[in-house]
Amino acid sequence: MWKPKEIIIHKSVEKDPITLHIIEQCKDVPIKYVADAKSETIKKSSDIISQASPPMINTIIAGKSVLFIGSPGNIIDKFTMPDDRMLCPHFDRLKLAYNGCFYQCDWCYLKLTCRAQHPFITVKVGYDKIKEKLEKVLKASKRPIFYNTGEFADSLAMEHLTKAAQEFIPWFGKTQNGYLFVLTKSDNVDDILNLPHNNHTVIAWSMNNEWVSRTFEIGAMPFERRLEAARKVQQAKYPLRIRLDPIIPIDNWKEAYADTIAKIFKKVTPERITLGTLRFEKSFFNSRESLFKTGQLLEDMTKDMKAMFEPKEFEGKMKSGKYSFPEEQRVEIFSFAINEIKKYSDCKIALCKESASVWDKVGLDYSKCSCVCQLDYADMS
């Protein structure tokens, strides 16, 4: 089980039960206390981050071993895609953790989105206060709300420390209109298998080809361990979904991903699958040589990427979409994966952060988007 190498605690939560549990589980880990949650305060108080030398990737990697325990703060919000040419349904977020995993996946968008300014793992405690906030929102809502805990974190990677799933899965199971979305690359599931979830928690695994996982998803659980964990969770009657993302056009990629898809369906029966391929914000793409830990291999694979759209102004800023493979290549990748999935299942299939043109060309209906992050459907037309 993973442990941080340094723990920094906001003084307002130093006596919180989860804080005390984390300390108990990490008896040999140095601890410091801070009076505010400003990023600069935390970075300066961390010996590990302070000692990291340039380039920035070294600070990002160093911060993967630093855990900050903070108060709830602004823990609930809504994700909306600022560029409406890139189809992605809105969803509600429950940010129990921020930069919340210790993996070193080469393509992780958080490297620039969050870790450049907040190069440490943050977990939020004060679960009673969080439940009070959730209860207030749910009571005021006339619709079900599906809270995504996996946008800024691996929802289960630190469960042995935070006990967040053990706390919130039963709680959501007792609500009328509250639902929890758990997204993970972990196999840290043993403590949640017997919880009374009442079908109010959906668990999804981010999967990839075995070689791709081993090569680029550094520190994450291997494919087979994720798959076995997914099997356990489905046996425990949780709704199960899969993200096959990012699909990478490695040598012999069709044979590789056909094998991956076959292995998934041999072990589990997901109700939905979301597909994606490599995509980067412009700043990440332009800096990728210094951000890719695996170096030349991924640099060469991505060198011909282009902006997905022509520049257009949104909210006062010119946007050209993410950088990705040419459209015809993405269509080929998705069409192949969809055809392979349909050999085994009629489960719902969606695309992650794609254009309407690609949805149309692969034969999917974005007016009924069934992404894994949606409780039911989202109309993106």
Side-chain angles (χ1 to χ4, degrees), residues 19-33:
T19 302
L20 297 177
H21 172 74
I22 293 173
I23 292 172
E24 176 66 22
Q25 298 300 308
C26 304
K27 291 180 178 178
D28 57 340
V29 177
I31 297 173
K32 294 185 178 181
Y33 296 87

Side-chain angles (χ1 to χ4, degrees), residues 296-313:
Q296 200 66 41
L297 183 62
L298 205 53
E299 289 172 34
D300 289 346
M301 203 177 293
T302 59
K303 61 181 171 56
D304 294 326
M305 284 184 166
K306 304 292 183 185
M308 291 174 66
F309 307 104
E310 292 297 319
K312 183 178 178 180
E313 185 173 332

Side-chain angles (χ1 to χ4, degrees), residues 262-310:
K263 285 178 176 176
I264 289 172
F265 282 100
K266 186 176 181 180
K267 206 138 193 178
V268 295
T269 53
E271 61 182 23
R272 297 184 182 195
I273 294 182
T274 293
L275 303 173
T277 190
L278 273 178
R279 54 212 178 269
F280 303 100
E281 296 291 345
K282 183 179 180 180
S283 56
F284 193 127
F285 179 78
N286 289 338
S287 304
R288 69 193 190 284
E289 291 182 9
S290 63
L291 292 174
F292 288 162
K293 216 183 155 188
T294 52
Q296 200 66 41
L297 183 62
L298 205 53
E299 289 172 34
D300 289 346
M301 203 177 293
T302 59
K303 61 181 171 56
D304 294 326
M305 284 184 166
K306 304 292 183 185
M308 291 174 66
F309 307 104
E310 292 297 319

